[in-house]
Amino acid sequence: MPQPKEMLNQLFRIILQAAMPEGKIAQLLPKTSPKGKTIVLGAGKAAASMAAELERVYPFPIEGMVITRYEHGLDTKFIKIVEASHPVPDSKGQAAAKRLFEYAQSATADDIVIFLASGGASALMSLPREGITLDDKKFITKQLLACGAPIDEMNVVRKHLSAIKGGHLAQVAAPAKVITFAISDVVGDDLSVIGSGATVADPSTFADVKRILKKYNIQLPEAVAQFLASATEQDETPKSLSNTESHLIVTPYDAFKATEQAAQAMGLNVLFLGDSITGEARHVAAMHAGIVRQIKQHETPVAKPALLLTGGETTVTIAAEGGRGGRNTEFLLALAIELNGLDNVYAIACDTDGIDGSEDNAGAIITPDTLTRAAQLGLSGAEYLAKNDAYSLFSELGDLVETGPSRTNINDFRAILIL
């Protein structure tokens, strides 16, 4: 059996491979060439790898453009790749989104539009409604990120302030047929939530937007407040689309099941609690710690050597300015404090896009002596957790996991090894 840290890193590499688009698009493509053009559009952290795979397997001429995060691009021949800012949008993303919109508008009944959707598209593809500025959207986005709003609620707001998301892109592409291939990074794999569903009918309403903004006490720029106050039924996102079909090519569940099988082949007894764990990162850590202690002390619900495996997306409510910790490092530091040096317990938590929050790491690893090693350096785990700065502590310990951009995204990967 490999060393614990190498085993955890190996499992992370396995889930990343399972989450890639290679081999998952070809069987779903049209079998005949369209009378007109095949226009490829898309956005998200996996946009470049999906575009490269589509170029590899699509047998007919293609053209188009996709938007991905800075440093997530790849070399492609026919599909232009534009990089922009995430999670807070920028002017480059706005200009690229306008070009996507124009591409869709140009489509005719003889054309096919293929849209490549993955997590991150909401920020990368920012095209505000008339009268709303990019700065207005950035102001709201920053507040939603800081208050710990889950991605589905964030995207309800984003869709209704956007001219391209929430089904609008498919609407303007009509009568062309629109085929969407999506990699899911959201709980429940709801296509209308993945990247804010630019090519998918949207069930949410302006009433939902107002409820969410009130729930988190979001301060609104004047233009946004005026737009929401005057919005009518005609301003709603499209609730049905007749020219679309959609395919989920990668789901978190499928990738986690592949990882579970690999862990079992390593001789581990796996307790997979699902890919839909949500909540405040430190509260989720406390729940995991309770299960770990149960396995450790009573070998139930699985016997040792065991692997506790979970996915989903936690949130962090920022309590202090200047902290660099992402949600996965915050989860791990809270877990280390809860376990308090429990022997033979190791854990990894990483974002599968390779970037935990906005830093340069995917996540980190904890060991039974994490807090002891920190104390030897004069560092208090509790103090770093209080200021949302887990990144800095793990950086000092040399325990960050740094993969660089993975060019996919199925949300968070958490694995706890109990030996």
Side-chain angles (χ1 to χ4, degrees):
M1 182 179 291
Q3 292 298 309
K5 290 178 71 172
E6 174 51 33
M7 188 179 298
L8 292 172
N9 276 308
Q10 185 176 344
L11 290 170
F12 184 47
R13 290 192 294 269
I14 288 168
I15 200 166
L16 290 183
Q17 186 57 45
M20 296 303 289
E22 283 79 9
K24 301 181 177 77
I25 295 177
Q27 66 273 24
L28 301 170
L29 291 171
K31 305 304 181 194
T32 58
S33 176
K35 292 181 181 179
K37 299 178 293 187
T38 298
I39 302 170
V40 180
L41 308 176
K45 298 172 189 175
S49 60
M50 295 174 79
E53 174 65 3
L54 188 62
E55 284 193 350
R56 189 180 71 84
V57 300
Y58 194 65
F60 311 117
I62 55 176
E63 62 180 82
M65 185 184 82
V66 301
I67 313 169
T68 193
R69 186 173 179 165
Y70 288 120
E71 300 182 1
H72 284 58
L74 290 170
D75 291 331
T76 48
K77 293 181 179 179
F78 309 110
I79 303 168
K80 183 178 180 180
I81 295 178
V82 177
E83 295 181 346
S85 175
H86 179 280
V88 178
D90 67 0
S91 58
K92 194 169 182 182
Q94 182 178 15
K98 184 178 180 182
R99 183 72 184 109
L100 289 187
F101 193 84
E102 291 167 349
Y103 257 121
Q105 280 184 314
S106 72
T108 71
D110 291 332
D111 299 332
I112 290 177
V113 175
I114 295 178
F115 188 76
L116 307 176
S118 57
S122 286
L124 294 164
M125 189 174 54
S126 185
L127 186 63
R129 295 216 191 189
E130 187 175 352
I132 298 174
T133 68
L134 181 63
D135 284 341
D136 292 336
K137 292 198 72 174
K138 289 167 70 173
F139 181 70
I140 293 173
T141 298
K142 288 177 180 178
Q143 291 181 76
L144 290 168
L145 288 168
C147 74
I151 191 63
D152 56 336
E153 291 185 329
M154 288 186 65
N155 285 358
V156 167
V157 176
R158 286 162 155 171
K159 283 185 279 191
H160 283 82
L161 301 182
S162 174
I164 195 170
K165 295 189 276 282
H168 286 301
L169 189 70
Q171 188 177 54
V172 300
K177 182 176 183 179
V178 179
I179 305 173
T180 298
F181 297 110
I183 293 179
S184 173
D185 71 324
V186 301
V187 171
D189 304 327
D190 186 340
L191 283 158
S192 72
V193 178
I194 300 167
S196 290
T199 56
V200 181
D202 175 38
S204 69
T205 66
F206 279 110
D208 295 319
V209 175
K210 294 173 183 177
R211 173 184 55 79
I212 293 165
L213 295 173
K214 182 179 180 180
K215 175 181 177 181
Y216 295 106
N217 193 30
I218 301 300
Q219 304 303 305
L220 297 179
E222 183 177 351
V224 175
Q226 290 178 353
F227 170 71
L228 292 176
S230 62
T232 67
E233 189 172 338
Q234 288 184 328
D235 297 311
E236 264 293 357
T237 50
K239 306 307 175 191
S240 64
L241 294 164
S242 60
N243 62 320
T244 64
E245 69 176 63
S246 300
H247 303 278
L248 279 167
I249 64 166
V250 177
T251 69
Y253 182 81
D254 291 339
F256 270 95
K257 293 304 286 185
T259 309
E260 179 183 23
Q261 292 174 2
Q264 289 169 339
M266 294 177 182
L268 300 173
N269 300 306
V270 180
L271 177 61
F272 175 43
L273 296 183
D275 63 287
S276 304
I277 305 297
T278 61
E280 192 74 16
R282 60 187 68 190
H283 300 157
V284 174
M287 178 271 287
H288 282 67
I291 298 172
V292 169
R293 286 191 289 268
Q294 186 76 10
I295 295 171
K296 182 75 173 170
Q297 295 169 12
H298 304 293
E299 303 218 24
T300 180
V302 292
K304 297 173 288 191
L307 185 76
L308 175 58
L309 193 61
T310 71
E313 182 175 78
T314 62
T315 54
V316 174
T317 301
I318 298 175
E321 294 294 329
R324 299 181 65 188
R327 61 181 183 261
N328 287 287
T329 50
E330 176 135 338
F331 164 84
L332 284 170
L333 183 52
L335 180 65
I337 292 170
E338 289 282 346
L339 294 176
N340 194 28
L342 191 63
D343 66 305
N344 288 321
V345 178
Y346 303 79
I348 187 172
C350 291
D351 194 327
T352 52
D353 67 1
I355 298 175
D356 187 24
S358 59
E359 295 297 338
D360 54 6
N361 65 312
I365 287 179
I366 62 170
T367 62
D369 63 350
T370 290
L371 297 181
T372 300
R373 288 185 290 119
Q376 290 170 349
L377 296 175
L379 308 176
S380 165
E383 290 180 5
Y384 275 81
L385 183 62
K387 57 187 181 181
N388 304 117
D389 197 20
Y391 172 96
S392 296
L393 184 138
F394 287 117
S395 179
E396 290 288 340
L397 295 176
D399 287 337
L400 293 174
V401 175
E402 298 174 317
T403 62
S406 68
R407 298 181 178 86
T408 189
N409 184 30
I410 55 163
N411 246 319
D412 297 337
F413 169 78
R414 295 179 290 270
I416 306 175
L417 190 60
I418 305 110
L419 299 177

